[in-house]
Amino acid sequence: MAHAPARGPAGEAVTVALWESAPSPFGFRELWCEELHSLSELAKLRARLRRSLTGSPTVVHPEREHWSERLVLIADELTSNALRHGGAPVATALSRTGDRWLLAVSDSSTEVPPTPAVGRDPGLGGFGLYLVADLSQRHGWFVERGTKTVWAEIEAVEG
């Protein structure tokens, strides 16, 4: 389980779990699932996501598409992590229920849980999981039938 340092009410150091094992939320209907084999396919994934979320493969109304771009960023972070650390092929799925969207990324590296960077120089990267945790309403991961799935849920909120 990944933890991050935080401060309690009295200023004492406490540990906060950021990425706990948790099943995927129920009630979502999968719209599509795309298999990726390399980082070079991320641009195509981002365009497909934008098209699914807003009807356009590019950002047309930046003043209104904040929630959709959060989901695109989450997809980019989780999928690139899976390709780098979990190995190809990676499956990225988009699901929906009402105004809630679920992004789930699966790979075959069941022995490596999502682990945010701790004590690393920010110039070396490794902070994408913190970003995903901050941008999503809920997030988690689970292992099932030889596959690890990392997921994040966000709500479509205009603004």
Side-chain angles (χ1 to χ4, degrees):
M1 179 176 358
H3 294 84
R7 298 281 171 202
E12 74 279 6
V14 296
T15 302
V16 178
L18 285 181
W19 284 88
E20 294 184 355
S21 180
S24 182
F26 292 103
F28 285 82
R29 181 177 60 85
E30 186 175 294
L31 302 175
W32 52 259
C33 182
E34 185 164 328
E35 189 172 284
L36 293 93
H37 298 273
S38 71
L39 292 170
S40 66
E41 295 174 286
L42 286 173
K44 183 177 139 188
L45 176 70
R46 289 189 298 268
R48 184 173 186 185
L49 273 166
R50 287 185 180 107
R51 191 175 307 104
S52 296
L53 301 171
T54 68
S56 172
T58 59
V59 177
V60 177
H61 302 286
E63 72 283 1
R64 294 191 333 231
E65 297 176 3
H66 301 297
W67 71 269
S68 60
E69 284 305 299
R70 280 197 315 269
L71 192 58
V72 170
L73 181 56
I74 288 168
D76 193 73
E77 289 293 337
L78 293 182
T79 304
S80 64
N81 279 354
L83 286 164
R84 286 185 181 100
H85 307 294
V90 166
T92 300
L94 179 67
S95 301
R96 180 180 186 180
T97 183
D99 286 344
R100 301 194 75 73
W101 296 82
L102 178 69
L103 190 87
V105 180
S106 301
D107 65 51
S108 61
S109 183
T110 59
E111 68 283 351
V112 181
T115 307
V118 176
R120 183 183 302 166
D121 179 329
L124 299 176
F127 293 91
L129 291 174
Y130 290 110
L131 186 63
V132 171
D134 189 48
L135 294 175
S136 61
Q137 274 78 35
R138 295 192 303 164
H139 59 278
W141 68 279
F142 61 92
V143 173
E144 184 175 82
R145 295 188 297 263
T147 301
K148 175 184 69 205
T149 300
V150 180
W151 59 268
E153 177 185 340
I154 77 159
E155 184 175 0
V157 177
E158 295 299 324

